[in-house]
């Protein structure tokens, strides 16, 4: 009886110390992510310079938790003119590669650096060049292109849900609303395969 009890206790200890963790970030795994946050001046107040962004993307993991990201993003920044706010909006598509450079042993926390190509369309005041006071906007609508450098921190909340925090610097050419746009955002990624 003591021998059976000893074997059961030994087996229980082995199960406790060698727990199997779920497989995470395996090559070929995919997730859909939703992100949003503040842009440029990083103000919460909806006044001059207030900017925000929102995006959706699909991530596909490769070796060592590196991943490809393909998605779309909307960025809006508002400018004050005589007490009224006028929007400058950018619709961009993104394709990029994120290189994982730091993770814990259990694959719960990750830090990745991403480089992306961006292309899209920029519109100022939704194409309306005449303002209510009769002034004429000289900025117009343009196709834009460029890239982005992103630092992404992510943590698995469950095996299928990943929380993200990121900082990004976008550099875009072809538009009238500035070349550089800084972003800070949060997001969630749902692993779908």
């Amino acid at each position: 009886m003591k021998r059976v009890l000893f074997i059961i206790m030994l087996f229980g200890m082995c199960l406790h110390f060698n727990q199997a963790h779920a497989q995470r970030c395996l090559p070929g795994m995919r997730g859909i992510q939703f992100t949003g946050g503040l842009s440029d001046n990083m103000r919460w107040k909806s006044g001059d310079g207030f900017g925000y962004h929102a995006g959706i993307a699909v991530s596909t993991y490769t070796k060592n938790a590196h991943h490809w990201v393909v998605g779309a993003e909307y960025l809006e920044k508002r400018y004050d003119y005589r007490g009224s706010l006028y929007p400058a909006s950018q619709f961009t598509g993104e394709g990029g590669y994120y290189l994982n450079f730091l993770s814990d042993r259990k694959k719960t926390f990750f830090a990745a650096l991403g480089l992306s190509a961006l292309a899209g369309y920029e519109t100022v005041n939704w194409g309306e060049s005449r303002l209510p006071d009769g002034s004429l906007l000289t900025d117009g609508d343009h196709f834009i292109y460029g890239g982005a450098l992103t630092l992404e921190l992510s943590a698995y909340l469950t095996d299928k849900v990943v929380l993200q925090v990121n900082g990004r610097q976008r550099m875009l050419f072809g538009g009238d609303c500035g070349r550089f746009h800084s972003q800070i955002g949060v997001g969630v990624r749902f692993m779908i395969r």
Side-chain angles (χ1 to χ4, degrees), residues 2-14:
K2 287 182 182 180
R3 186 177 293 178
V4 173
L5 187 58
F6 177 74
I7 291 173
I8 291 173
M9 286 177 46
L10 185 62
F11 182 70
M13 285 177 39
C14 288

Side-chain angles (χ1 to χ4, degrees), residues 1-112:
M1 183 66 175
K2 287 182 182 180
R3 186 177 293 178
V4 173
L5 187 58
F6 177 74
I7 291 173
I8 291 173
M9 286 177 46
L10 185 62
F11 182 70
M13 285 177 39
C14 288
L15 285 178
H16 178 70
F17 287 115
N18 294 323
Q19 289 182 358
H21 294 283
Q23 304 278 328
R24 295 179 177 165
C25 304
L26 295 176
M29 287 183 80
R30 286 200 176 122
I32 186 165
Q33 64 188 39
F34 302 94
T35 57
L38 297 175
S39 299
D40 295 323
N41 291 347
M42 312 298 177
R43 294 185 199 172
W44 288 105
K45 187 176 126 186
S46 183
D48 184 31
F50 174 73
Y52 63 92
H53 64 93
I56 184 171
V58 173
S59 298
T60 304
Y61 284 97
T62 63
K63 293 181 180 179
N64 299 322
H66 308 316
H67 57 282
W68 288 97
V69 173
V70 176
E73 189 171 67
Y74 173 75
L75 181 141
E76 182 175 299
K77 186 172 179 184
R78 297 181 184 181
Y79 296 93
D80 183 38
Y81 178 73
R82 294 189 179 178
S84 296
L85 295 175
Y86 297 98
S89 303
Q90 296 177 343
F91 302 88
T92 53
E94 170 188 4
Y97 190 71
Y98 286 64
L99 182 67
N100 177 47
F101 65 89
L102 183 65
S103 67
D104 67 334
R105 191 175 63 82
K106 292 185 178 183
K107 301 226 182 278
T108 303
F109 301 101
F110 295 91

